Amino acid sequence: MKINCTLISVVDDDESVRESLPDLIREFGFTARAFPSAEEFLASDCVVKTKCLILDIEMPGMSGPDLQRELARRRQETPIIFITAHSSEAIRPHLLKGGAVECLIKPFSDTALLVAINAALRAK
Amino acid sequence: MESELSRLVDALPGLVWTALPDGNIDFFNQRWCEYTGLSLDDSIGSGWEASIHPEDLSELLECRRFTLDSGEPREIEARLRRFDGEYRWFFFRSSPLTDTDRRVVRWCGIITDIDRQMRAAEEGSGHWWRSRAARENHFRSIVDRLPAFVTLMNPNGEAVLANRQVLEYFGATLDEVKGWENGSTIHPDDRPGAIAAWQRSVETGESFGFEGRHRRADGVYRWFQMRGFPLRDSEGRIVLWYLLQTDVENHKRTEEALRASEQNLRQIIDSIPGLVCTMSPAGAIEHQNQQVLDYFGRTAEELRDWAFTDAVHPDDLQRVIEVLTKSITTGTLYDIEHRCRRADGVYRWFQVRALPVRDTDNRVTGWYVLLIDIDDRKRAEEALRASERNLTQIINTIPTLAWSARPDGSAEFFNQHYVDYLGLSQEQAQEWGWTTAVHPDDLNSLAGAWQHIRASEEPGESEARLRRFDGEYRWFLFRANPLRDESGKIVKWYGTNTDIDDRKRAEEELRRSEARKTAILDSALDCIVTIDHEGHITEFNPAAERTFGYCRDEAVGKRLADVIIPPSLREGHRQGFTRYLATGEARVLGKRVELTAARADGSEFPVELAISRIPLEGPPSFTGYLRDITERRLAEEELRRSEAFLAEGQRLSRTGSFSWRVATEEITWSEQVYSIFELEPDLPVTLGLLGSRVHPEDIPLLCDMVERAKAGKDFEYEHRLLLPENRIKYLHLVGHGTRNKLGELEYIGAVQDVTERRLSEEALGKVRSELAHVARVTSLGALTASIAHEVNQPLSGIVTNASTCLRMLAADPPNIDGARETARRTIRDGNRASEVITRLRALFSKEDITTERVDLNEATREVIALSLGELQGTRVMLRSELANGLPPVAGDRVQLQQVILNLLRNALDAMSAVEDRPRQLVIRTEQDEGDLVRLTMQDTGVGLDSQNLERLFDAFYTTKSSGMGMGLSVCRSIIERHRGRLWAAPNDGPGATFSFSIPHGFEGAMGTHNLGAIREPAVTDAAKVMRKS
């Protein structure tokens, strides 16, 4: 497996997601970090390093879209892939307009995720 | 003079006697007494007769009688016994003394001793008459010695002879005297009378008697008594006249003096204001003055024989006699008062004083009596006494307190009223005792005033309060008047104290009422101005000063018109006033009129004026009340405007107002109500009219409303109107009952056309129910979403992990460990998913709960720990009061935690919008009675509507816009499966409290039997729905 230094951060309050998704991402060949909340992500040193952000929408405290706005405010143009357990039909357009690359509904296939990641990295 | 005369008389060579006009001889000279040897007393009266020779006595007496009767003296010789008893011849001659009226007042006589001559004549007629010349000489010497003027005149009146006295007196020689005309020496005033008397005598031959004045040699006139005796010859012809003239000047004077003095005395006696008399010892009145005669109405003679005691009043007689007797016996003066009867029979009081007259032996020979008519005095005394009694009565009756005081101010006398008033005795009040009754506050000023009055010696007055016998103080006016004696010195003060208490109180009342009146006038908000009949201002109160800008002194006296009425209107006012005074017709009196007035600065403003006539006698005066109505005008304007607004507002809001007088069924509508009812405005409104428009189905409502109204309760109704063309209007009606000023029940209310609102409400209602339906559907959606979410998590994990696993296995070399891990996770997640399903099924089925020993406190703490982030994020202050020693409960830990979490989440949601108070959450666990354990969750959120408390636990009931309405129904079923109870209640303050209690015992929970979850229809529906999908 090739080791890629591209850091992809996962921000999700769901433990199982933080458990499973980074492994998958590593299998893709990326480096992955997981954060239980947007605040912790912001507090970390990965904000700038993160090349792609996989972001849960509904989180207590700062939500996904909140983090998106925050990053935009910081002019941190990190591509964001939203993931959500809820139907995103209503907010999908907003999120995409806000600069999100994709919005995936759980459960999503690994393929869908990879496509989204690639799209995100390419867009960058 | 008298002694000289008597010496003279005693010296005369003859025995001289005088007698009273009645012949009673009351005087003999000394020679007589020496010759006869008789004393004067023995001689007078008729005592001398004893000395006359008995043989001669009768002739002598006869001669005397003749003389007395005729007034013409006769001479006679008679023998007079000498002291030794021897008789000698004497020549008795007498002559009368007359007064100016020719009445005899006295006789006088000379008795000359002619014994020798007589004897000589008896012996022979020789010795004595030797010669005519000798005889003449002898005679002449006698004549010359006589202390009288002797003149011999021939019948023609010429003097033939005159004795020496004559010649000496006239200072002339005989020859000169002879040559005088008859009567030439007589005083001119007396001459005519003398001459006439002489003529008469000459003619008649009677003796001549006259008193007249002769001029002496030195020219002085002296009175003489002239007596002329004719000497007749044997044929009876008068040959000579003997003229004897005695100088009676002194006598005359004395006589006159005596007469005058007698007259004086008489007058005095007669003018003594009293009856003066002398009384004999027997009581006969001997001498008296005129008053006596007048009083008793008797003559002197009658009185003499009259017993005086006859005139004494019978009642006094006894007393009088006693006193008289005593006086007589003791010989002392008596002094007695008794009544004497007057000539007319009337008795009068006299004071009778009598002085006894004693003789030399001290025997009482008579009384000098003085009677003083004291009748008037007595009556006066009686009257005085009566009047004094009267006066005392008056003094004691007059309704004032009367008193007298000494000049030093100390009180002497108090009338009965005074004494009664004070309740003191005379003795207690006298001197200064009365001052104890004076009010302490007034004492000093009264004392000072009294002192001042006394010092000024003028009448004065002062006011003070005097204590009555019962202790009450009353105001009195003290008045004092001085009484002076003849020298003007003040001897006494008299005073009266008049009760002025009522007046004082009235004065006080008046003062207070005056002050009140003035205060009222001064504090009145209205301007009060009074004017006299000429329209001049007499009063101008402070409010008027403020309103018009004049001070009182400026305004008083000026014409009202000139002060407050604008120039343009003055004429009109003046005319009106003049007309009133002339005709009595008043257009303005007694009414309120609005007019324009002017202030001092000229600005004009509207006023309301009311003028009334002051109802007193005399020329008319008027009171005007003025009020500045500028503000009122503005307010009126405001009101008009606001009424217009109201009408507009009513129109815009489609609300009308009405009033309904229940008793009389009078209903008044505003214009808008008519418009709402689509009736002609101004139609009289009756309940019948109402009924005609009200929707038939709502008529009962109307009747009910009327009933309610009659009972006086407020009402609020909504009912429909049925209008032409079957249109319906919805009305909202409110009525509020009041009592109007007559006490009648009157409703004031509003009617609003709420048709549009109602319609929209109905529409809304429909939409709501649709929405509710949708919501229900949406909840299911939400439920599904929730379930999906719950399942999604593990599914997502599974997919991810599985994908990862594949990739790991596909790697070169394959990551076996990683794959194993992911596979493991996959299984786990699968299990989790299954668990969720199981749980869900359990939720919606009757399956037993998993029973274990649950420490509720521990479970609660875990839930709290899980939610800390949320609590902090939503700024909620959490307080947990978890009871110690809480017994464990038998139950499904997870489910119970779900309930707790749900309740917590609900509480947070309820407080999410609260800003004005702290968001506080209290979680409490405690042991409940009956083996129960209770958990309560209390928040300070929006609270609960108590009407919807039960509906809370309905499935799909939610007040949250994004809620799914699952929570509480699920919670309840969980708790009920634990054989517990879940309920909610609003707090006393803000927020709500949710509580559940479950039995803690393990008995009966070990089994699998379900003690009955209550089947809820909604749950069944959900299950059905789930099965379907």
Side-chain angles (χ1 to χ4, degrees), chain A residues 7-9 35 41 46-53 76 78-79:
Chain A
L7 176 62
I8 298 179
S9 296
F35 300 93
F41 171 70
C46 299
V47 177
V48 180
K49 280 195 275 187
T50 301
K51 296 293 182 259
C52 176
L53 192 57
Q76 189 65 35
T78 314

Side-chain angles (χ1 to χ4, degrees), chain B residues 231-239:
Chain B
L231 181 67
R232 301 177 195 271
D233 60 12
S234 48
E235 280 123 46
R237 281 185 306 215
I238 299 173
V239 292

Side-chain angles (χ1 to χ4, degrees), chain B residues 89-221:
Chain B
W89 282 97
F90 279 83
F91 189 54
F92 291 78
R93 261 191 304 201
S94 61
S95 65
L97 273 156
T98 57
D99 59 12
T100 44
D101 301 307
R102 299 269 241 70
R103 277 185 308 192
V104 176
V105 297
R106 272 201 167 278
W107 288 100
C108 60
I110 293 181
I111 309 170
T112 16
D113 188 336
I114 55 161
D115 196 76
R116 205 152 31 93
Q117 283 87 317
M118 285 297 271
R119 289 192 203 284
E122 283 177 16
E123 289 172 275
S125 58
H127 302 287
W128 198 69
W129 306 105
R130 267 184 227 124
S131 67
R132 190 185 168 89
R135 274 209 308 277
E136 269 189 35
N137 279 342
H138 189 74
F139 180 62
R140 171 173 259 119
S141 63
I142 290 173
V143 168
D144 277 341
R145 286 197 197 100
L146 280 177
F149 296 11
V150 179
T151 318
L152 286 177
M153 293 200 304
N154 62 18
N156 301 327
E158 291 162 352
V160 169
L161 206 74
N163 77 345
R164 196 182 54 217
Q165 326 286 46
V166 174
L167 297 175
E168 272 178 14
Y169 183 80
F170 290 115
T173 64
L174 184 58
D175 290 322
E176 284 169 336
V177 170
K178 280 185 187 172
W180 284 348
E181 206 181 302
N182 189 13
S184 58
T185 55
I186 297 180
H187 192 284
D189 296 342
D190 307 327
R191 206 177 296 156
I195 289 175
W198 167 252
Q199 305 267 27
R200 206 168 32 249
S201 289
V202 166
E203 285 164 18
T204 62
E206 283 178 5
S207 55
F208 158 82
F210 189 74
E211 266 186 22
R213 285 162 280 183
H214 273 298
R215 192 179 62 248
R216 199 164 58 182
D218 58 4
V220 172
Y221 284 94

Side-chain angles (χ1 to χ4, degrees), chain B residues 484-630:
Chain B
R484 296 172 199 276
D485 64 12
E486 315 79 47
S487 59
K489 197 166 69 106
I490 292 179
V491 292
K492 223 189 260 292
W493 286 89
Y494 288 98
T496 57
N497 301 349
T498 317
D499 186 333
I500 53 165
D501 196 81
D502 294 331
R503 191 194 82 185
K504 253 316 211 225
R505 284 188 211 280
E507 264 174 23
E508 190 53 44
E509 199 46 56
L510 182 67
R511 213 173 306 137
R512 245 178 277 152
S513 131
E514 272 295 326
R516 245 200 309 270
K517 189 199 89 180
T518 311
I520 289 172
L521 279 184
D522 285 349
S523 65
L525 295 177
D526 282 354
C527 311
I528 301 179
V529 179
T530 56
I531 56 176
D532 63 14
H533 60 283
E534 289 174 347
H536 293 129
I537 294 175
T538 54
E539 274 303 327
F540 204 72
N541 80 335
E545 290 177 319
R546 284 193 299 271
T547 305
F548 290 98
Y550 296 98
C551 41
R552 188 184 174 279
D553 299 327
E554 282 179 287
V556 168
K558 296 215 179 64
R559 303 184 80 112
L560 182 72
D562 297 337
V563 171
I564 69 165
I565 295 183
S568 49
L569 303 172
R570 278 185 199 151
E571 197 43 46
H573 168 89
R574 228 174 275 137
Q575 282 180 359
F577 195 63
T578 318
R579 184 177 41 242
Y580 169 72
L581 287 176
T583 65
E585 168 204 320
R587 302 233 180 103
V588 182
L589 277 191
K591 293 185 272 206
R592 285 184 203 281
V593 292
E594 292 182 11
L595 50 95
T596 314
R599 293 198 193 88
D601 61 8
S603 57
E604 297 185 3
F605 64 106
V607 290
E608 183 185 76
L609 169 71
I611 302 186
S612 58
R613 193 191 151 139
I614 297 175
L616 290 174
E617 294 170 3
S621 50
F622 306 88
T623 309
Y625 304 87
L626 296 124
R627 195 179 297 173
D628 181 345
I629 54 169
T630 319

